[in-house]
């Protein structure tokens, strides 16, 4: 948790709230505790008379346990009105230290990890009213919201060098705040990562433009006017760019992101993320670039293969059909419709539609060839082990006549 930074302004605001809560509730201690291996340390503590907890103090987990230890262990709030009347707590180290009343909350991070606790202590019995409990609840929520923002921003920054992507962080002023080690390598830059930090975004855009197939495309690759407005907080999303600058490459497997075409023939996928600070205010953006050249080339090869297959089938006057065993979805090529006198797409290509067009005398043979008790059952071919088949049957054409069909099928994947 050491990488989570609580800035001085936030600390001052929290300190003021702790002092106010202590005076309002009339109690000895209000503190924010931070978890460390083996115990808890005091992050902030109210400036009240008789408060033994001071920032930086470490309290090791002890035999019998403290109130805060119980909160950490259970992960839920704990309220002790008077430990002297509670057999669970009357012999605890906290009572021996003079604190008999307690209200504590776990401080959780977005991923469920425990950051620490918010604890309120007093040396006498303390009956918490509903109004006071609500005030403490609200403050607890505010602390966790601020911790969530600090955690998300700090975690992303701390892990940038472990990312498979090149990462560029730009603040709201348009200055480069952080660059990971992969960024210069992915972009083929002669400058190292630290050498880019502190530069204006305009300078970096000039360097990147020289690496693009079309230098003018930098307008879409790294929009200068949209720093800090990249995406919703804590998400990775595709960034909208002017359509005039959009390259023709597509992301593999329908993935989100903006394709970046480099002069050396490689393709990068660009995504971005907005970084927000206190009160949700945007302070910058992270731009991520991942090399997806292999995936894009594979997709292009598949597309070319499909186009060649379509041309071959069209030249042979054969209709093409695909059948997804898992979903039951059928696809009939335009030629399939034309052979029956229909306009492509004139009826939906489904099991029921083809069964209704099939000659009743041929239905049994087709069913047997496909190893199916019913043509509407989509898993039959896979279930009975048939790898390929060939069968002749008749389908009713649009003009009412019958057309003889020779169907061949082969299982391509299970």
């Amino acid at each position: 948790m050491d990488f989570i930074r609580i800035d001085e302004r936030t600390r001052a605001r929290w300190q003021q709230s702790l002092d106010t809560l202590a005076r309002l509730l009339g109690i000895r201690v209000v503190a924010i505790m931070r978890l460390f291996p083996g115990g808890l340390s005091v992050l902030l503590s109210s400036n009240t008379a008789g408060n033994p907890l001071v920032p930086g103090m470490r309290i090791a987990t002890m035999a019998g346990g403290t109130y805060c230890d119980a909160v950490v262990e259970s992960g839920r709030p704990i309220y002790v009105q008077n430990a002297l009347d509670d057999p669970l707590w009357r012999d605890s180290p906290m009572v021996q230290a003079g604190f008999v009343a307690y209200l504590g909350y776990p401080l959780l991070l977005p991923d469920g990890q425990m950051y620490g606790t918010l604890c309120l202590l007093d040396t006498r019995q303390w009956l918490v009213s509903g109004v006071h409990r609500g005030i403490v609840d609200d403050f607890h929520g505010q602390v966790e919201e601020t911790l969530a923002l600090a955690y998300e921003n700090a975690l992303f920054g701390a892990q940038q060098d472990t990312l498979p992507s090149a990462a560029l962080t730009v603040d709201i002023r348009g200055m480069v705040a952080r660059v990971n080690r992969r960024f210069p390598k992915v972009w083929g830059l002669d400058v190292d990562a630290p050498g880019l930090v502190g530069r204006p975004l305009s300078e970096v855009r000039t360097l990147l433009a020289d690496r693009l197939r079309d230098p003018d495309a930098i307008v879409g690759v790294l929009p200068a006017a949209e720093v800090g407005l990249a995406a919703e907080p804590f998400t990775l999303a595709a960034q909208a760019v002017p359509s005039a600058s959009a390259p023709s490459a597509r992301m593999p497997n329908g993935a989100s992101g903006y394709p970046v075409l480099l002069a050396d023939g490689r393709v990068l996928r660009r995504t971005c993320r907005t970084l927000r600070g206190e009160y949700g205010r945007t302070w910058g953006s992270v731009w991520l670039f991942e090399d997806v050249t292999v995936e894009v080339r594979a997709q292009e090869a598949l597309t070319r293969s499909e186009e060649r297959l379509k041309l071959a089938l069209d030249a042979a006057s054969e209709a093409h059909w695909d059948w997804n065993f898992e979903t039951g979805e059928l696809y009939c090529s335009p030629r399939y419709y034309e052979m029956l006198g229909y306009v492509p797409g004139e009826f939906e290509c489904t099991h029921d539609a083809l069964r209704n067009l099939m000659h009743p005398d041929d239905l049994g043979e087709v069913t047997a060839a496909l190893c199916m008790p019913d043509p509407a059952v989509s898993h039959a071919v896979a279930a009975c082990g048939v790898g390929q088949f060939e069968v002749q049957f008749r389908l009713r054409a649009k003009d009412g006549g019958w057309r003889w069909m020779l169907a061949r099928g082969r299982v391509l994947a299970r």
Side-chain angles (χ1 to χ4, degrees):
M1 305 297 176
D2 290 339
F3 60 86
I4 299 178
R5 178 177 174 272
I6 307 300
D7 59 56
E8 291 304 318
R9 181 179 177 182
T10 298
R11 286 173 179 263
R13 182 164 52 85
W14 282 356
Q15 183 66 59
Q16 183 178 14
S17 296
L18 297 179
D19 295 342
T20 300
L21 279 174
R23 291 195 302 270
L24 176 66
L25 303 178
I27 58 176
R28 187 69 56 88
V29 177
V30 183
I32 295 176
M33 311 293 289
R34 185 173 181 177
L35 195 64
F36 76 92
L40 291 159
S41 64
V42 181
L43 180 67
L44 295 170
S45 185
S46 58
N47 295 308
T48 44
N51 180 2
L53 302 184
V54 295
M57 176 187 292
R58 291 200 167 196
I59 303 173
T61 301
M62 57 187 72
T66 66
Y67 301 126
C68 284
D69 289 337
V71 171
V72 171
E73 183 177 352
S74 66
R76 58 182 179 81
I78 289 179
Y79 170 51
V80 180
Q81 180 177 332
N82 187 348
L84 297 175
D85 296 333
D86 190 332
L88 181 65
W89 292 106
R90 65 166 62 109
D91 297 322
S92 73
M94 299 305 298
V95 172
Q96 296 172 14
F99 291 102
V100 300
Y102 174 82
L103 176 61
Y105 297 75
L107 294 174
L108 301 176
L109 298 174
D111 61 0
Q113 289 189 73
M114 182 77 67
Y115 176 84
T117 64
L118 169 64
C119 70
L120 297 86
L121 293 158
D122 204 10
T123 55
R124 66 190 192 290
Q125 177 174 298
W126 178 31
L127 179 62
V128 182
S129 68
V131 173
H132 286 172
R133 183 66 179 260
I135 293 173
V136 180
D137 286 347
D138 287 344
F139 177 62
H140 168 253
Q142 293 171 18
V143 172
E144 282 200 333
E145 287 179 5
T146 304
L147 283 174
L149 291 170
Y151 173 74
E152 293 288 348
N153 288 336
L155 180 64
F156 196 81
Q159 291 188 342
Q160 276 194 11
D161 282 329
T162 67
L163 292 173
S165 306
L168 173 71
T169 303
V170 181
D171 65 26
I172 195 68
R173 302 170 302 161
M175 304 296 291
V176 176
R178 187 184 300 125
V179 177
N180 73 347
R181 289 192 295 265
R182 288 188 60 83
F183 188 83
K185 180 179 179 180
V186 168
W187 277 94
L189 302 178
D190 296 328
V191 60
D192 60 9
L196 294 172
V197 175
R199 292 194 184 188
L201 177 61
S202 57
E203 290 187 13
V204 177
R205 293 175 78 244
T206 300
L207 291 174
L208 301 188
D210 291 339
R211 300 298 189 273
L212 297 177
R213 179 186 302 177
D214 175 11
D216 291 338
I218 191 65
V219 175
V221 173
L222 203 61
E226 298 183 16
V227 174
L229 303 175
E232 290 302 311
F234 315 143
T235 62
L236 292 178
Q239 173 64 29
V241 294
S243 58
S245 63
S248 58
R250 293 182 300 169
M251 291 295 93
N253 301 320
S256 64
Y258 183 82
V260 179
L261 309 183
L262 300 184
D264 60 11
R266 290 181 297 133
V267 180
L268 307 181
R269 180 173 75 102
R270 191 217 66 195
T271 54
C272 32
R273 164 202 174 99
T274 295
L275 297 176
R276 300 180 188 274
E278 191 176 19
Y279 305 119
R281 294 191 183 99
T282 296
W283 70 265
S285 296
V286 172
W287 307 84
L288 301 175
F289 300 88
E290 179 185 2
D291 192 330
V292 292
T293 306
V294 173
E295 293 87 342
V296 169
R297 297 293 177 256
Q299 179 175 286
E300 291 173 346
L302 176 61
T303 300
R304 288 194 297 269
S305 177
E306 291 173 343
E307 290 174 349
R308 286 194 295 267
L309 175 61
K310 181 180 181 301
L311 289 173
L313 291 172
D314 290 344
S317 298
E318 292 186 355
H320 168 63
W321 56 276
D322 288 328
W323 177 10
N324 188 314
F325 291 159
E326 294 185 356
T327 65
E329 181 182 2
L330 278 176
Y331 164 76
C332 296
S333 69
R335 179 61 181 155
Y336 211 107
Y337 292 91
E338 293 168 355
M339 290 169 64
L340 297 174
Y342 290 96
V343 174
E346 188 170 342
F347 63 86
E348 186 178 4
C349 182
T350 64
H351 291 285
D352 288 338
L354 296 182
R355 182 175 54 195
N356 292 336
L357 292 175
M358 191 172 295
H359 195 290
D361 294 343
D362 299 333
L363 186 58
E365 184 177 354
V366 173
T367 298
L370 297 181
C371 190
M372 295 169 61
D374 184 339
V377 178
S378 61
H379 293 274
V381 172
C384 71
V386 174
Q388 59 185 23
F389 67 89
E390 180 175 315
V391 62
Q392 296 186 49
F393 54 88
R394 287 161 288 182
L395 292 180
R396 187 187 300 277
K398 187 173 182 179
D399 61 10
W402 296 99
R403 300 286 191 276
W404 276 100
M405 301 288 177
L406 172 62
R408 299 184 184 94
R410 183 175 185 179
V411 177
L412 297 179
R414 296 186 185 278

